[in-house]
Amino acid sequence: MTNTWYDAVVVGAGFGGLATALELTQRGARVALCETLNYPGGCASTFRRHGYSFEAGATLFSGLAEEQLFGRWVRQLGLDVTVDWLDPLVELRTPGMRLGVYRERQRLMEQLRALPDAPADALRDFFTLQHQVAQALWPLFDDPTLLPPLDVRALLRHASRASSYLPLLRWMGRPLGAVLERFGLLGFTPLRTYLDALCQITVQCAATEAEAPFALGAMDYYWRGTGHVRGGIGQLASALAGAVTTGGGEVLYANRVKGLEAVPGGWKVSSRRGELLARNVVTNMLPQGLTRLLGLPPEREPAYLRELGGRVAEGWGAVMLYLVVRAPAEASPQAHHLELVQDEQAPFVEGNHLFASFSGEADTGRAPSGHRTLTVSTHVPLRSLAGRSEEEQARTVSTIQARMRMGLKRLAPEWMESVHHELTASPRTFERFTQREGGAVGGVPRRAGLHHYRTLGPREVMDGLWLVGDSVFPGQSTLATALGGVRTAACIARG
């Protein structure tokens, strides 16, 4: 490494880091992107083992429509990315119900209203409110300039949309359970099951405790440019990394950052390949990771990082199964996604709730002809593993994985008749490969509370030091982490 100064060094090539680096290079900045692994994407990557390719975690992405962030990048930058628009996107299965989530929201409502003893009028009124909230919130994701930092043009646009925000006000700081109670839907199990499953993978908590506006907005996830990236989400991550390079940035793989030190004029970044100097550093990691890189004693740790780290610790790790299976004769050639719930009355964690994603025939190179790769995930509370010995953690994870296999055989038996290969992963695996402390995934659970609205934009941790990713605004989904990176780049560019 040389003593040349960078405008920014970005630590971590997850989608928050990729978006930050890409946006900065497009603004003419000199950027270096450092990544521990030898491929990009972080928790949303495609990895290869034993001749097979698997999705590490995230498998369905929103924001892929032409007018949305990822879709615009694909079109404007000429990225070699193909999106398959699945229909249905997901099939929810329980022991007594199958519910297809199609590209048209009306089809979901019709299925729910057709169920025995369905409260049709209450469902109509609930979905009317949900649509109003989603229509207020999703334009903020479609046009990143509507997110902080705000210029005069953005403020004027928000003022013109003021009436659309009114449906949110009544429910801010209140749980989605209160909304369901208001419409008399708390006891309608099919809707509750759908919402619990959706909230667990989006806002990272049960529907009854989720912050209502966030959860109501997240319900539109499947109808907002959500699709399957052919070949795996790693195709999009690699294409974005390539665009950073084409734009004049440097992407440094296998280059783990070991420490950060404030120096006159910016920061010194100590990495596996040497030292870099930067006026700004953007870290795409958990707050605990940033604290570690700073090497500060507890009494000097910024209060913001300490508080945020505590909230992350109340969240989740992931227990995974990666399988190679022979496709059943009746299987669609497209990629396929199943959400499986073994017991609707039990918490949607630890193998009771599974998200299973199967590759498609067009995902060449993933598995031998006639076979599919399968990524299966379930949540485990980080608190349930904290402080346990490695042996105790291993026993807990093994028990959860046994329950996962049971759920697959029970609710997706056609896919489990011929399993050719299996890999397993735990929060410890994620921590080892992604450098995320505790193997935390999904960011901060969005349980009801007004504290979520305190920080609605990028924030410097220290002068010239920024944090992006799923633990900071707007958080959670891969689209949200990318948007956070875009807005952080805008803050840096404003100087």
Side-chain angles (χ1 to χ4, degrees):
M1 297 295 176
T2 69
N3 289 328
T4 301
W5 280 78
Y6 292 89
D7 295 306
V9 167
V10 180
V11 182
F15 275 82
L18 287 166
T20 306
L22 179 58
E23 183 72 10
L24 283 171
T25 58
Q26 290 184 321
R27 291 172 178 264
R30 179 178 169 83
V31 178
L33 173 58
C34 300
E35 168 55 45
T36 297
L37 301 175
N38 58 9
Y39 55 88
C43 291
S45 61
T46 304
F47 70 93
R48 193 162 183 83
R49 293 288 185 279
H50 308 304
Y52 308 109
S53 292
F54 303 93
E55 306 286 48
T59 52
L60 268 176
F61 268 39
S62 64
L64 293 165
E66 284 192 1
E67 71 280 4
Q68 295 178 301
L69 183 65
F70 293 139
R72 285 198 300 271
W73 279 340
V74 170
R75 185 180 74 256
Q76 293 172 1
L77 302 175
L79 304 184
D80 184 17
V81 173
T82 300
V83 178
D84 291 322
W85 302 107
L86 311 180
D87 205 23
L89 292 104
V90 171
E91 183 185 5
L92 173 63
R93 296 184 182 182
T94 73
M97 179 180 70
R98 290 196 177 192
L99 190 69
V101 184
Y102 292 87
R103 304 201 66 81
E104 296 179 8
R105 61 187 297 121
Q106 187 65 30
R107 294 189 67 176
L108 175 66
M109 294 171 57
E110 290 171 355
Q111 289 178 82
L112 289 170
R113 295 177 71 181
L115 293 172
D117 301 319
D121 291 342
L123 284 168
R124 179 199 61 217
D125 295 342
F126 171 75
F127 274 95
T128 296
L129 172 65
Q130 184 274 321
H131 185 57
Q132 291 172 342
V133 172
Q135 287 291 87
L137 295 179
W138 273 90
L140 310 185
F141 276 25
D142 295 341
D143 182 357
T145 64
L146 291 175
L147 295 171
L150 301 176
D151 56 20
V152 173
R153 175 179 169 273
L155 289 171
L156 290 173
R157 289 191 60 195
H158 279 296
S160 70
R161 302 183 71 246
S163 62
S164 70
Y165 299 135
L166 294 178
L168 282 69
L169 298 180
R170 176 179 180 181
W171 301 108
M172 289 175 64
R174 302 180 66 187
L176 182 59
V179 181
L180 293 172
E181 185 175 22
R182 161 68 179 79
F183 290 100
L185 292 169
L186 268 176
F188 185 47
T189 299
L191 178 64
R192 279 282 307 279
T193 301
Y194 173 73
L195 293 177
D196 276 332
L198 179 67
C199 286
Q200 190 63 52
I201 63 172
T202 55
V203 294
Q204 305 290 308
C205 60
T208 52
E209 60 182 358
E211 172 65 13
F214 287 21
L216 291 167
M219 285 179 65
D220 255 33
Y221 177 82
Y222 294 125
W223 307 311
R224 299 282 178 166
T226 295
H228 169 80
V229 176
R230 189 176 299 178
I233 197 57
Q235 295 290 113
L236 178 57
S238 295
L240 293 176
V244 171
T245 302
T246 301
E250 299 176 41
V251 180
L252 307 173
Y253 293 120
N255 190 43
R256 183 170 68 88
V257 171
K258 302 176 181 179
L260 301 173
E261 180 185 348
V263 296
W267 291 86
K268 181 172 69 175
V269 181
S270 299
S271 73
R272 179 175 174 269
R273 299 193 194 180
E275 295 180 348
L276 302 91
L277 297 173
R279 295 177 182 83
N280 293 274
V281 171
V282 182
T283 56
N284 184 192
M285 55 177 52
L286 296 174
Q288 298 95 316
L290 179 50
T291 297
R292 171 176 50 80
L293 289 185
L294 289 170
L296 297 175
E299 63 272 15
R300 292 183 57 200
E301 179 185 1
Y304 171 63
L305 290 183
R306 183 167 56 252
E307 177 189 358
L308 188 57
R311 292 170 62 195
V312 170
E314 295 297 328
W316 311 97
V319 176
M320 312 290 298
L321 294 177
Y322 301 108
L323 307 175
V324 180
V325 300
R326 180 174 290 279
E330 68 276 13
S332 164
Q334 286 194 313
H336 197 56
H337 301 270
L338 298 178
E339 201 158 8
L340 311 176
V341 179
Q342 300 197 62
D343 181 354
E344 297 107 315
Q345 306 307 317
F348 281 31
V349 297
E350 297 185 339
N352 182 45
H353 168 250
L354 307 174
F355 198 94
S357 295
F358 302 79
S359 63
E361 289 181 3
D363 296 315
T364 56
R366 300 286 297 274
S369 177
H371 295 72
R372 309 286 181 90
T373 56
L374 169 59
T375 293
V376 191
S377 62
T378 192
H379 274 153
V380 57
L382 291 173
R383 292 293 190 196
S384 71
L385 299 177
R388 293 191 182 187
S389 67
E390 290 187 21
E391 292 76 12
E392 290 174 321
Q393 289 189 34
R395 283 195 295 271
T396 298
V397 168
S398 179
T399 299
I400 293 172
Q401 287 166 341
R403 191 180 187 191
M404 294 170 73
R405 295 184 190 96
M406 180 178 69
L408 288 166
K409 291 177 180 177
R410 181 183 182 192
L411 296 172
E414 73 275 23
W415 287 98
M416 301 305 293
E417 292 180 357
S418 182
V419 178
H420 283 244
H421 188 73
E422 177 184 284
L423 295 173
T424 61
S426 67
R428 285 179 59 84
T429 311
F430 266 79
E431 181 173 23
R432 186 166 68 251
F433 282 96
T434 67
Q435 304 294 301
R436 289 171 67 93
E437 282 68 17
V441 298
V444 175
R446 301 297 180 182
R447 298 183 177 96
L450 291 172
H451 60 280
H452 295 297
Y453 306 97
R454 288 185 204 148
T455 305
L456 294 181
R459 174 175 172 178
E460 283 182 289
V461 178
M462 298 168 66
D463 188 29
L465 180 62
W466 306 80
L467 184 68
V468 297
D470 55 13
S471 62
V472 294
F473 182 83
Q476 254 91 43
S477 74
T478 307
L479 172 61
T481 64
L483 287 163
V486 168
R487 300 318 290 158
T488 298
C491 285
I492 292 172
R494 289 174 67 170

